[in-house]
Amino acid sequence: MTSTQHTAGDSSPWESKTFGTSLSLHLERPVGAMSISPSGRDVVLASRSGLYVVDLDDPYCPPRFLRHTTLWEVADVQWSPHAAKYTWVISTSNQKAMVWNMALPSRNAIEHVLHAHTRAITDINFHAHDPERLATCAVDAFVHCWDMRTPSKPVQSFCDWRAGATQVKWNRQNPHVIASSHDRYVHIWDDRMGAQPLRSISAHSTKIYGVDFDRVAETSLITCSLDKTIKFWDYSNEKDEPVRVITTDFPVWKARHTPFGDGCCIMPQRGGKNGLYIVYNKSEQVTEPMKPVAKFIGHTEPIKEFLWRTRGGDQGIDNREFQLVTWSKDHDLRLWSIDDSILEGVHHVKNEALKYRLTRRGTPYVSFIEEPEAESDSGSQIFSVGIHQPISRESPSFPARNLQTYMTRGGIYDKISHLNWLSGVRIGRSAFARPPDETAPNTEREGVPENLGEEVSIVGNKFPKITFEKIHVSSGEIVVCLNGPWGPDNGIIFIRVEARFPPEYPRRKAPKISVEQNKDLSPEEISKIEAQVQTIATEFTNRRRYCLESCLRYLMGEKDVLDDLEAGEDEDGLPATSGPDLPALEVDEGESSSDDEIIMSPPKST
């Protein structure tokens, strides 16, 4: 099989251009869950229609889509945190769980279907030590433990018998201990002790929706509930008394230990200004109101999931850096920077020895955004499985489903156009819109791009009759098709133009513009057009201005594209000087050169 791992761009998390940068991506799809790859490069978003894989290091590329249509909301999706199984993703579909292999073609990516629950699955958790093991829990009150070497049935099951399960978590220090929440109770199970819980705690007055073990202390865990409290427990204590209680003014949906210091990240179920809060765990008071060390506020709807993107720690020294990833009901995925003041607020000390094992260590820094090629070998063991077929790769072959698909660079795709995707990508100071009451009136820079991706999005939406054949923002390659008055007697002809933008663009380094050979144009005419467009590009970038729109306007017949440079300032506030005169385009007086009135012709076959 052809390798599917996409390594273009950054080959190391330390080379990532997005790690320390604010970023917002918009995906107008009903995504129910999110997870992150062990390398921290890819994020998977799960919806009723399937999975979307987003490369955080190449956010301008539209996501890869793996179709799996279901009638039910996706309760959870988990990317394996282990380097040994870094291609595995597991997602829910009602009472089934699908194990996907991202290294396989999308139509064959489901390796296993886990089917033992009789009601909807509510949570999934990979074992903290064994990459082949995971646990699922469901409304049927059962917790099933699975070994993926024998995926046809669970290797062990636990049950509350009275209330459905909402959460399941493996202990990070003890490989035999697992916890599950059922209504207002938390059960601690030991897989060596059969069906009897090691400990049961009546933890809250309402249903528990969050459970998380401490990363270092074996018997410590967090629970949270809609009763507006987060409680810290030591299950070795026989009394149902929490070690600490944090109260909030909103119902709590999730609370988890931070991967650094002694912190806890709190996510409201509603309210809380649609934000996320980090608190310090080790206060001397037993009960106290939430005192955030950090607040992450900016989403317009409640946050549905948060993750941590990390780099470093590969040599056993805690030199790690962190980035927070959130997904909200407003359909925005956001990257938030974590500065030193936040680390200090939870008493994280850098450059000490790591206190726990990093399961992601050794994971290749690759992306699975590219659709892999299918094996042509007729003896391939890869099969397409139906939604109701509880089979694994060891099962007999089943015919592939007859799907209405759309093939693109992302494989089986759902019609997300590249330009629409680009319009939802915001990096840097434009990534997070300010709240309305803090936004100062400012229309001067409206529509001004901050990077090449934004420039392409603005131009593409402004000129819908221009066809962008290729958009690769990371490498700076853009190919466009348009009609312009370059034929005999100023006749409208079809031309294809390639632009290569250097990384320094637009800081005094112009793109290289070339026009494809055309039967309607002689080589001399093409050279002349290229020289004229190159002059425009150079004049704009000499003033640190974006030039794509002006170049395309000239190619469509506008004569005075350099007029904007004659009496203004460049992007750094430096005085602009007059540019050279361009050869005038002789357009018939009765014919408009505006984009809206130019009739596009289909691309000529080559």
Side-chain angles (χ1 to χ4, degrees):
M1 181 188 301
T2 303
S3 174
T4 68
Q5 298 163 4
H6 178 55
T7 58
D10 305 320
S11 59
S12 163
W14 297 102
E15 298 174 7
S16 171
K17 299 178 180 64
T18 62
F19 197 96
T21 305
S22 298
L23 171 67
S24 179
L25 306 174
H26 188 79
L27 179 63
E28 196 64 39
R29 297 294 185 273
V31 171
M34 175 179 70
S35 189
I36 194 167
S37 67
S39 72
R41 179 163 175 174
D42 283 348
V43 161
V44 61
L45 301 165
S47 74
R48 289 183 177 184
S49 57
L51 306 183
Y52 299 87
V53 180
V54 179
D55 183 357
L56 296 179
D57 276 357
D58 197 359
Y60 293 108
C61 283
R64 175 186 175 190
F65 178 64
L66 296 89
R67 182 180 295 277
H68 178 75
T69 304
T70 176
L71 299 175
W72 301 281
E73 294 287 349
V74 178
D76 196 15
V77 63
Q78 292 292 319
W79 204 309
S80 171
H82 299 279
K85 296 293 181 181
Y86 72 100
T87 65
W88 273 6
V89 172
I90 182 168
S91 65
T92 68
S93 177
N94 197 20
Q95 59 206 29
K96 296 178 176 65
M98 275 68 62
V99 181
W100 304 75
N101 189 335
M102 293 291 110
L104 299 180
S106 297
R107 65 178 180 274
N108 305 115
I110 299 178
E111 281 203 283
H112 309 288
V113 178
L114 310 181
H115 188 196
H117 289 287
T118 58
R119 300 287 299 279
I121 296 174
T122 54
D123 195 28
I124 306 165
N125 190 235
F126 278 93
H127 198 281
H129 305 270
D130 189 342
E132 297 284 353
R133 297 182 66 190
L134 58 92
T136 58
C137 68
V139 180
D140 60 11
F142 274 90
V143 174
H144 291 318
C145 301
W146 304 83
D147 190 319
M148 300 314 298
R149 289 161 289 205
T150 56
S152 58
K153 62 180 180 180
V155 295
Q156 196 164 16
S157 298
F158 308 105
C159 189
D160 177 84
W161 301 110
R162 295 167 299 178
T166 55
Q167 287 274 285
V168 60
K169 290 292 181 290
W170 289 98
N171 192 298
R172 289 188 170 100
Q173 295 297 322
N174 190 327
H176 298 288
V177 173
I178 188 172
S180 62
S181 59
H182 306 257
D183 194 43
R184 57 191 179 90
Y185 287 90
V186 171
H187 298 309
I188 312 297
W189 312 88
D190 190 311
D191 62 10
R192 300 165 295 185
M193 299 181 63
Q196 184 69 27
L198 180 67
R199 178 74 196 284
S200 293
I201 303 172
S202 179
H204 291 267
S205 58
T206 60
K207 184 178 288 188
I208 298 169
Y209 282 100
V211 176
D212 189 46
F213 277 106
D214 191 274
R215 297 175 184 270
V216 178
E218 176 183 332
T219 59
S220 297
L221 72 156
I222 296 175
T223 61
C224 64
S225 168
L226 302 187
D227 64 7
K228 302 182 180 181
T229 63
I230 302 99
K231 297 184 178 182
F232 299 79
W233 305 88
D234 183 346
Y235 69 77
S236 64
N237 185 352
E238 296 182 357
K239 296 182 180 181
D240 287 359
E241 294 181 358
V243 175
R244 187 174 181 228
V245 179
I246 296 176
T247 60
T248 68
D249 57 1
F250 50 76
V252 183
W253 191 249
K254 293 178 182 177
R256 302 181 190 137
H257 291 93
T258 58
F260 49 85
D262 297 313
C264 172
C265 200
I266 300 171
M267 188 181 88
Q269 189 252 1
R270 62 181 184 276
K273 298 181 180 179
N274 301 319
L276 202 66
Y277 302 88
I278 293 179
V279 298
Y280 178 55
N281 288 348
K282 305 295 185 180
S283 173
E284 295 180 357
Q285 297 188 23
V286 175
T287 302
E288 66 176 351
M290 181 180 70
K291 298 178 180 178
V293 171
K295 303 177 183 179
F296 301 91
I297 298 175
H299 284 288
T300 58
E301 296 287 340
I303 296 173
K304 299 188 69 173
E305 184 58 279
F306 66 92
L307 306 164
W308 293 101
R309 190 183 184 200
T310 64
R311 63 181 178 185
D314 297 328
Q315 306 300 321
I317 302 298
D318 199 349
N319 61 344
R320 293 174 297 164
E321 296 180 356
F322 304 90
Q323 193 173 38
L324 179 64
V325 187
T326 58
W327 171 261
S328 167
K329 288 183 179 179
D330 61 14
H331 303 285
D332 273 358
L333 183 151
R334 295 190 173 191
L335 300 185
W336 311 75
S337 297
I338 304 297
D339 57 35
D340 288 342
S341 64
I342 298 175
L343 302 180
E344 293 170 1
V346 295
H347 294 200
H348 175 71
V349 181
K350 284 188 174 183
N351 299 319
E352 290 189 343
L354 277 167
K355 297 179 180 179
Y356 55 90
R357 183 175 64 93
L358 299 179
T359 60
R360 65 176 176 82
R361 184 181 297 171
T363 304
Y365 194 70
V366 296
S367 174
F368 294 97
I369 194 173
E370 294 288 351
E371 179 67 17
E373 297 179 9
E375 289 188 15
S376 58
D377 183 5
S378 59
S380 173
Q381 296 266 328
I382 304 172
F383 310 120
S384 291
V385 297
I387 187 172
H388 299 297
Q389 297 168 349
I391 67 172
S392 69
R393 294 185 71 190
E394 290 78 16
S395 303
S397 177
F398 286 84
R401 286 172 285 165
N402 183 20
L403 298 175
Q404 297 296 320
T405 62
Y406 306 91
M407 300 305 294
T408 71
R409 67 174 297 280
I412 304 175
Y413 212 51
D414 77 337
K415 290 186 174 180
I416 300 178
S417 78
H418 205 151
L419 283 175
N420 286 342
W421 174 257
L422 285 176
S423 65
V425 179
R426 301 183 299 277
I427 295 180
R429 59 185 174 84
S430 66
F432 304 158
R434 294 180 179 179
D437 57 341
E438 296 181 10
T439 303
N442 184 8
T443 60
E444 294 180 1
R445 295 184 58 84
E446 184 178 355
V448 177
E450 291 190 25
N451 49 62
L452 178 59
E454 290 186 13
E455 182 183 22
V456 173
S457 175
I458 292 170
V459 173
N461 288 296
K462 186 177 291 187
F463 303 106
K465 292 183 180 180
I466 292 179
T467 300
F468 283 81
E469 279 195 357
K470 180 179 181 180
I471 304 172
H472 203 294
V473 176
S474 297
S475 63
E477 298 178 52
I478 308 294
V479 178
V480 298
C481 301
L482 52 87
N483 284 345
W486 300 99
D489 299 324
N490 297 324
I492 301 297
I493 64 170
F494 172 84
I495 57 175
R496 182 181 282 109
V497 181
E498 178 179 352
R500 292 182 175 270
F501 293 82
E504 299 84 358
Y505 173 80
R507 299 298 176 184
R508 296 193 181 280
K509 196 155 187 181
K512 175 65 175 177
I513 310 293
S514 59
V515 178
E516 188 180 86
Q517 290 185 356
N518 193 312
K519 68 177 183 180
D520 296 322
L521 295 171
S522 67
E524 292 76 16
E525 291 173 320
I526 290 177
S527 297
K528 184 178 179 180
I529 295 172
E530 288 178 343
Q532 294 165 353
V533 178
Q534 197 67 55
T535 298
I536 296 173
T538 301
E539 288 300 315
F540 271 80
T541 52
N542 280 345
R543 292 157 178 79
R544 300 177 181 141
R545 297 239 186 133
Y546 290 89
C547 67
L548 179 60
E549 178 178 341
S550 297
C551 291
L552 295 180
R553 284 184 180 277
Y554 184 77
L555 289 170
M556 289 187 295
E558 294 194 18
K559 297 178 289 185
D560 303 322
V561 293
L562 288 179
D563 285 355
D564 292 338
L565 295 177
E566 293 183 359
E569 294 181 346
D570 66 14
E571 291 294 315
D572 291 335
L574 301 176
T577 58
S578 299
D581 293 331
L582 293 172
L585 289 173
E586 297 180 0
V587 181
D588 291 343
E589 293 297 324
E591 188 174 277
S592 171
S593 63
S594 69
D595 177 66
D596 290 336
E597 297 186 30
I598 293 178
I599 302 175
M600 291 291 294
S601 62
K604 296 179 175 65
S605 58
T606 57

